Amino acid sequence: MAHEFTLVRQVEFSETDMAGIVHFSNFFRYMEAAEHAFFRSLGFSIHTSDPERVGWPRVHASCDFRHPLRFEDSVEIRLLVREKREKSLAYSFIFRKLNETSPIEVARGTLKVVCVKREAANGKMTSVAIPAEIAGKIEAAPAELLAS
Amino acid sequence: MAHEFTLVRQVEFSETDMAGIVHFSNFFRYMEAAEHAFFRSLGFSIHTSDPERVGWPRVHASCDFRHPLRFEDSVEIRLLVREKREKSLAYSFIFRKLNETSPIEVARGTLKVVCVKREAANGKMTSVAIPAEIAGKIEAAPAELLAS
Amino acid sequence: MAHEFTLVRQVEFSETDMAGIVHFSNFFRYMEAAEHAFFRSLGFSIHTSDPERVGWPRVHASCDFRHPLRFEDSVEIRLLVREKREKSLAYSFIFRKLNETSPIEVARGTLKVVCVKREAANGKMTSVAIPAEIAGKIEAAPAELLAS
Amino acid sequence: MAHEFTLVRQVEFSETDMAGIVHFSNFFRYMEAAEHAFFRSLGFSIHTSDPERVGWPRVHASCDFRHPLRFEDSVEIRLLVREKREKSLAYSFIFRKLNETSPIEVARGTLKVVCVKREAANGKMTSVAIPAEIAGKIEAAPAELLAS
């Protein structure tokens, strides 16, 4: 049972804006990248038909920004499973900049995603229980980790 | 004194993802586009040296997603000023899809931005009072509008 | 029979990079936006199942950059149909910045796209003749226009 | 003296579009990422004030697309220095998908970049000779490599 995952990536030029810092919308792309890497670490793909063909649309996303990230900064994105329900998962993310003598926290974010099936005919999405094989590998992180 | 602004745009192909819908990170780009158009509607640019050289980094962003947006959907982004403080502004955003018999709300978001000066030497940002010329044109929306 | 289309758009903050100018990859998004608006001007959508379900993957894209574009610049993207073949279309694009006393050309680009059908089973794409209803509305621009 | 560099990355969800494949504009972001990693491999940053404060705007970019890339594909981007002049560099890029029994080439691209200084006053860019320290570490690839 896994409840956390850490991804490190380096800020790309195309992710910056004219203010010289990472455009805030990219923090949401970073969170999603960590979520997808978390799934791969469990042997799944977020976009899969195995064990079942489900999708994970986002129903909520938020981020608090404390310090900017700049080109070529090394950023650690730590994912914690905040909540696991029958049909949904909620994650917390802590962003730290690693290229300092001591890492500094630059942002915190959240994502809430719902497990859905898509009807082939019209693309309509219906929420469904998380497939047992996936649910069996994910658990909410201990309260003390989430409170840190 | 202005407290709201409405922008309509059409979903572009490059804003969709393999799920066939607008990637959620683009809702944050849409909010920012509405914010910048709001500033232009007041005779300012968000990135200006007139009346003073200030910037507006985001300190908080969030979005709740109810329905997907698809390619070529016409989307209305309604900005409401939720809060005006000495050094910061908070906005609410209501997204509606217009290409239906009756428009449907697809998402709601928030942005909180802080007015800063950037030191030429090292790029460090310090929060400052919103320039009087700008502050004099913006007010918080009435409570009944925000509650809707 | 149409052979040209002109789209005007305004540079968004999120399209700039830390060099203070529009990131070059966005010129390709701008070309595509003009192509899709051209299709809409003919009564079609680039992503359609009417008259037939075809797609238009890009097989070639290029751009020559002369002058930078900046935040809030007004940019005109003029599309010219350079070549029309049985299964493909080639476009030329001329980018001009309009917020000058006299507009200045900032870039020129090309796109070559192929008409394909996608097999439902495996997503494989096969090139097919452009549907007659679409082909009947598009023609190559006169040589003198393309030479300008 | 270096004349090539290879970067491997994995396709992210946000890089795909509703056709289920990587949006073509991202191939240009991939090329740039390889170029910047090439510079880092030589001990430089593309955005640097050391040894001198220069920038590298793109004057030409092109790409030929043969096969699509999909979510979670592993893609190798091989950069070759095609030409080195006093004030400019031209690169070729070969994209291969690695998650096949044998890798397949999916695209080829080019970038031509010019070394510039930016005037502090007005942001105007003037082309300058590539700083000796950088020029001394880069050479054009042998003809046989480029012809492959």
Side-chain angles (χ1 to χ4, degrees), chain D residues 7-139:
Chain D
L7 179 71
V8 174
R9 57 191 286 160
Q10 194 173 24
V11 171
E12 301 195 356
F13 192 85
S14 61
E15 295 168 344
T16 63
D17 61 32
M18 66 188 290
I21 62 180
V22 170
H23 191 262
F24 80 109
S25 64
N26 287 317
F27 284 77
F28 293 97
R29 291 179 48 244
Y30 293 175
M31 288 187 222
E32 189 177 68
E35 174 203 11
H36 294 181
F38 172 59
F39 262 58
R40 283 193 291 273
S41 76
L42 303 178
F44 302 115
S45 169
I46 200 81
H47 192 85
T48 188
S49 45
D50 173 30
E52 286 175 56
R53 187 167 178 74
V54 294
W56 297 90
R58 278 85 256 272
V59 293
H60 178 75
S62 74
C63 196
D64 289 286
F65 309 95
R66 300 184 191 185
H67 294 286
L69 286 173
R70 295 174 196 280
F71 177 50
E72 293 185 340
D73 277 352
S74 182
V75 56
E76 174 197 272
I77 305 130
R78 185 179 180 203
L79 169 154
L80 291 168
V81 178
R82 207 179 64 221
E83 193 181 61
K84 177 184 150 187
R85 296 198 179 183
E86 191 202 353
K87 301 177 172 185
S88 67
L89 292 168
Y91 302 103
S92 291
F93 299 88
I94 301 164
F95 295 80
R96 296 197 310 161
K97 186 160 79 164
L98 300 183
N99 51 333
E100 307 287 327
T101 321
S102 54
I104 59 162
E105 185 178 319
V106 294
R108 289 201 173 215
T110 63
L111 277 187
K112 185 169 181 189
V113 301
V114 171
C115 189
V116 304
K117 287 220 163 139
R118 197 181 300 268
E119 287 170 49
N122 57 9
K124 257 226 148 96
M125 297 182 286
T126 315
S127 62
V128 296
I130 300 172
E133 210 176 311
I134 296 173
K137 289 199 175 170
I138 297 176
E139 65 183 355

